[in-house]
Amino acid sequence: MKVKHSKYKNTGILFELLTRQLTSDTITGSQSKSLSFLKKHFNSKTELLKEYKIYHTLATQKYNKDSQATMLINTLIEAHEKLNKSQLRREKYNLIKEIKETYNVNDFFKAKITDYKVMASIFNLLENKEASPLSIVNSKTTILEHITGKQLSNNKKNVVLENFNKQDKNTRLLTYKVLLERFNNKYSGLQENQKTLLKEYVNSVSNSPALKSYLNQEIKLVKKDLTKYSKKVEDKVVAIKLNETKNMINSLDKKSSVQDDNVINLLNYYELINELKTIHG
C-alpha cells in the first residue's frame, strides 16, 4: 500500500535537502542561503528543530530487539504529540515559503533523499491526519524494520552525527566552519566541468532520467574531445591510448542506473581532457 506523503511538509526531508543544497552551493562556489535557513528555522527556539530531532532519531537509532524499537517509536510519537502544533505549522509554512522564493522548487525537491521510504513512513506516522489504520501499521513496520535492521555501513556515520549533535552550539559552529574550510580547500582545484558534474549528482536522484541523460551527453562530449586530441598529439603511442580510452567509455543504457563509479569515472575523464587542453589548447 502506497503511503500518502508530501515532501514539502516532511521536516526530515526539508532538513536534508537544505544541507544538500548547501553542499552543492559550496562545490560551485555559489553564495548559499541554505545555511541561513538552517540557522533561522532549526535552532533551539523552534518547534521545527524539536520535530527534526524526532525524525532524525527514528531514522538513525538502531536496536537489536523489537521491544526496544517499539518502545522508541511509541515514546517519540508521544513526544511529537506534545509539540506546539500551531507554532510548528507556522514555522514550516515560513520555511517552505522562503525555499520557494529562493530556489526552483522542482529542481530543489528532485534531490536524492536518503532512506526516502523511511522518511515517508515517519511523516505518515506523525503527521498524516488522514492515514488509515492499515497505512499506520505499514509505516510502523517499515520504521521497526529499519531500526532493527543491520546496516553496518551506516552505523559509523550515525555515531559521528550523534556526537556532533551532542556538542554545544559554539562547538558545533566551530566544527562546521572547520569542515567547510577543509571542503573548500579539497575541491578548490576542480575545473568547471567537474564542479558542474558534482552539482548535478548532488541535486539529482541517482536513477533519475535527467541525471542519466546529462551523463550520457557529457560522455559524448568526452569521446568527441578524445577523438580531437588523438589527432593533435604527435606521439603515436599516446594517440593509440587515447583512442583505446575513448572506446572504453560507454553510455548508460535504459536499464542502467547511475552509480558512484559512473560519476568518478567521468571526473577522471574530465581530468584527462583538462590536461590535454592545457597542453594542446
Side-chain angles (χ1 to χ4, degrees):
M1 181 176 181
K2 190 175 182 180
V3 174
K4 185 178 179 180
H5 177 236
S6 171
K7 281 185 179 181
Y8 291 82
K9 298 178 182 179
N10 190 309
T11 299
I13 287 179
L14 287 171
F15 185 91
E16 180 170 347
L17 290 177
L18 284 171
T19 56
R20 287 181 177 275
Q21 184 64 48
L22 176 60
T23 302
S24 175
D25 292 340
T26 302
I27 289 172
T28 58
S30 305
Q31 185 175 0
S32 180
K33 290 189 177 181
S34 294
L35 181 57
S36 63
F37 288 170
L38 289 168
K39 289 181 177 179
K40 178 180 178 181
H41 297 284
F42 293 90
N43 62 65
S44 59
K45 296 180 181 179
T46 66
E47 293 296 288
L48 263 177
L49 179 63
K50 295 176 184 177
E51 184 174 61
Y52 170 69
K53 286 182 177 179
I54 293 172
Y55 268 87
H56 176 69
T57 303
L58 286 171
T60 61
Q61 184 62 49
K62 300 296 176 186
Y63 286 120
N64 292 324
K65 296 182 179 178
D66 287 357
S67 58
Q68 292 175 309
T70 301
M71 186 179 299
L72 175 71
I73 293 171
N74 292 336
T75 300
L76 291 177
I77 290 175
E78 291 177 6
H80 191 268
E81 290 174 350
K82 294 177 182 178
L83 295 180
N84 185 327
K85 295 303 194 300
S86 61
Q87 182 180 339
L88 181 61
R89 283 193 297 270
R90 185 167 58 253
E91 290 174 356
K92 196 172 295 188
Y93 172 83
N94 290 333
L95 171 59
I96 295 171
K97 181 174 180 290
E98 290 186 29
I99 289 174
K100 288 181 177 180
E101 290 172 349
T102 305
Y103 299 108
N104 181 308
V105 176
N106 291 330
D107 291 339
F108 185 84
F109 282 95
K110 281 181 182 177
K112 191 167 59 174
I113 304 299
T114 304
D115 295 321
Y116 177 83
K117 184 179 179 181
V118 175
M119 285 295 183
S121 296
I122 295 173
F123 174 85
N124 193 53
L125 188 63
L126 299 179
E127 303 189 64
N128 186 7
K129 302 304 179 184
E130 300 177 3
S132 66
L134 179 58
S135 70
I136 291 293
V137 170
N138 289 337
S139 294
K140 280 189 175 181
T141 301
T142 297
I143 298 168
L144 185 67
E145 290 175 349
H146 178 74
I147 293 173
T148 57
K150 295 182 179 180
Q151 300 183 3
L152 300 178
S153 61
N154 290 329
N155 285 344
K156 293 180 180 178
K157 297 178 184 177
N158 293 336
V159 170
V160 173
L161 189 54
E162 289 299 327
N163 289 336
F164 179 79
N165 288 334
K166 290 176 183 178
Q167 297 171 350
D168 61 79
K169 181 180 179 181
N170 290 332
T171 303
R172 290 201 306 271
L173 289 175
L174 179 60
T175 302
Y176 175 80
K177 183 179 179 182
V178 172
L179 289 174
L180 188 57
E181 287 175 351
R182 288 180 178 177
F183 187 88
N184 284 330
N185 289 334
K186 181 177 180 180
Y187 291 102
S188 61
L190 290 180
Q191 299 296 317
E192 286 304 313
N193 52 6
Q194 294 172 315
K195 289 181 180 180
T196 302
L197 172 60
L198 287 174
K199 181 181 179 182
E200 289 291 333
Y201 188 52
V202 169
N203 280 338
S204 300
V205 180
S206 60
N207 60 353
S208 71
L211 178 60
K212 187 186 296 184
S213 175
Y214 174 80
L215 285 174
N216 282 338
Q217 183 61 36
E218 290 300 298
I219 287 171
K220 287 181 181 178
L221 294 176
V222 166
K223 290 170 77 76
K224 183 178 179 180
D225 282 339
L226 287 175
T227 300
K228 179 179 70 175
Y229 288 114
S230 66
K231 296 176 181 178
K232 285 188 175 184
V233 296
E234 296 179 359
D235 191 320
K236 292 184 178 180
V237 175
V238 174
I240 292 172
K241 291 294 182 183
L242 289 177
N243 280 317
E244 288 177 352
T245 301
K246 180 193 69 174
N247 294 330
M248 289 171 59
I249 307 173
N250 297 315
S251 299
L252 295 167
D253 57 37
K254 293 181 179 180
K255 296 181 180 180
S256 300
S257 60
V258 179
Q259 304 295 329
D260 289 349
D261 286 346
N262 300 127
V263 177
I264 293 170
N265 288 338
L266 189 51
L267 284 172
N268 289 329
Y269 293 134
Y270 281 154
E271 188 68 27
L272 174 59
I273 296 296
N274 292 334
E275 288 183 10
L276 289 168
K277 283 182 180 179
T278 301
I279 297 171
H280 299 284

